[in-house]
Amino acid sequence: MPNTPLLTSLITVLAVLLLNWGDPVLAALPTGSAVTDGAAILRNALPIEQKDLRKMQDTLEATSKVVGSSKGNRWVALNEAAASSQYLVITRKKSILEAIPEASREEGEALLESLGETVQALGDEASNQNIDGFIDLRRKSLKQIGDLEALLVNDFPYTIPEEFNSLPRLLGRATVSIKTTKGNINAVIDGYNAPLTAGAFVDLALKGFYDGLPFTRAEDNYVLQSGDPTGPESGYIDPTTKKERQVPLEIRIPEEATPFYNQTFEDIGLYKATPVLPFAALGTLGWAHSDQAIDDGSSQFFLFLYDAELTPAGLNLVDGRNAAFGYVVEGSDLLKKLEVGDQILSIKVVDGADRLKPHA
């Protein structure tokens, strides 16, 4: 990335003005819109507090509200967002690297160098008013920021209640590839915010439990469900206990350090709360339970078919009643093509299997 004194000075002057006056991209936009992109939700759900990366992330994500605008001043906002990001990479490099655990610092330095090159190119696309190029490089920048933010997490941030010691738990994140009869889907499974739910899913995926199972429910603009084993059982039978393994309802909100267990939002009076992992994106993975209980989910899961009008973020009937535990990050367009009778051919854990612990 070019880093001449002149370039640095120009970026510094511009970005200082931007940071001191507030973010013009954010200021010019309506507030209160729910985040509906799974990758963005996952970035925001990481248990980190690195303000410089968060500032850069928020600034770039906010441009999504102006890239489609036909107003001439959109390029002013996009140039400012790119300049602010360049400034943060150049001037906050030391503080960002110091926040990364030493074991991952070399990887972080390489990522930060690549990010610097990307946001420099992002600024060029904004200057040239190339909207397609800007969108592609913004996506790449946000992916690099997310990778950097993931390096910031050191130890698992809280203790899971002892009553669940026998259950598997995912102490971090995993990436899975879901192969279906109509194509492939990739998803990130989030154990930071739903460790027992994510742990049960990854454990069953590693066991090959889901391979060959059909989708048993497909409701337009609502859910696509699978995980019901063949035979009379409705869930996974633990070979040791000979009983169905059941996972408690597990939901975390931003104001709490740990999830709530076996309580719906209605039970605890949180009628307007938003979970850290909301059902707000096409391909949100949710854990199914029966109508009679909230702690009897065993193996069945669903993919939420988010629709901005029919199942709007924050106003659906699933948040606070079911646990979300991940998001589809590739192949979400395939979801609305799948029907009852289509099959999961396999679910492979392509990253993060080492973060699964069989019990406490």
Side-chain angles (χ1 to χ4, degrees), residues 6-22 24 76-87 127:
L6 177 58
L7 174 62
T8 302
S9 298
L10 289 172
I11 292 173
T12 301
V13 170
L14 175 58
V16 166
L17 291 173
L18 295 178
L19 293 174
N20 287 341
W21 289 348
V76 174
L78 298 184
N79 272 287
E80 289 172 345
S84 175
S85 299
Q86 292 169 29
Y87 166 79
S127 297

Side-chain angles (χ1 to χ4, degrees), residues 287-344:
W287 200 246
H289 56 73
S290 72
D291 293 334
Q292 291 73 42
I294 58 176
D295 62 351
D296 63 356
S298 178
S299 64
Q300 297 189 47
F301 71 97
F302 59 90
L303 294 142
F304 189 62
L305 304 181
Y306 168 80
D307 182 276
E309 294 184 358
L310 299 177
T311 53
L315 296 174
N316 58 63
L317 299 177
V318 193
D319 281 329
R321 293 179 175 88
N322 290 81
F325 62 94
Y327 295 89
V328 170
V329 293
E330 292 181 47
S332 58
D333 291 346
L334 176 70
L335 296 177
K336 294 191 176 183
K337 299 177 183 177
L338 290 164
E339 302 171 319
V340 170
D342 283 322
Q343 286 182 302
I344 294 175

Side-chain angles (χ1 to χ4, degrees), residues 63-235:
T63 63
S64 63
K65 298 179 181 179
V66 295
V67 291
S69 172
S70 59
K71 295 180 180 179
N73 65 355
R74 73 169 175 177
W75 291 110
V76 174
L78 298 184
N79 272 287
E80 289 172 345
S84 175
S85 299
Q86 292 169 29
Y87 166 79
L88 287 168
V89 171
I90 291 172
T91 64
R92 302 290 200 267
K93 179 178 180 179
K94 182 179 179 181
S95 65
I96 292 170
L97 289 176
E98 286 177 347
I100 297 174
E102 189 172 352
S104 302
R105 200 162 292 164
E106 184 175 348
E107 181 182 357
E109 189 164 9
L111 272 171
L112 196 55
E113 184 68 24
S114 295
L115 175 61
E117 295 171 358
T118 305
V119 295
Q120 178 68 41
L122 184 73
D124 294 340
E125 297 296 342
S127 297
N128 295 330
Q129 299 191 2
N130 180 355
I131 197 63
D132 291 335
F134 183 92
I135 291 172
D136 287 344
L137 286 170
R138 182 190 61 184
R139 184 183 300 112
K140 182 178 180 180
S141 298
L142 287 169
K143 172 66 166 60
Q144 291 169 328
I145 290 170
D147 290 343
L148 274 166
E149 289 174 334
L151 293 180
L152 294 171
V153 185
N154 194 0
D155 298 321
F156 191 75
Y158 55 87
T159 301
I160 299 168
E162 291 183 1
E163 63 186 290
F164 306 124
N165 278 356
S166 64
L167 295 176
R169 65 274 326 274
L170 183 67
L171 303 181
R173 286 182 174 171
T175 302
V176 299
S177 177
I178 304 173
K179 184 178 181 181
T180 78
T181 45
K182 287 186 176 172
N184 297 343
I185 302 163
N186 291 335
V188 173
I189 309 303
D190 187 355
Y192 288 125
N193 296 289
L196 299 181
T197 315
F201 179 82
V202 171
D203 177 61
L204 293 177
L206 289 170
K207 286 178 166 65
F209 178 88
Y210 294 114
D211 299 358
L213 292 185
F215 289 97
T216 54
R217 181 183 181 189
E219 297 185 28
D220 290 346
N221 303 310
Y222 190 40
V223 296
L224 181 69
Q225 187 164 325
S226 187
D228 186 4
T230 56
E233 307 297 342
S234 60

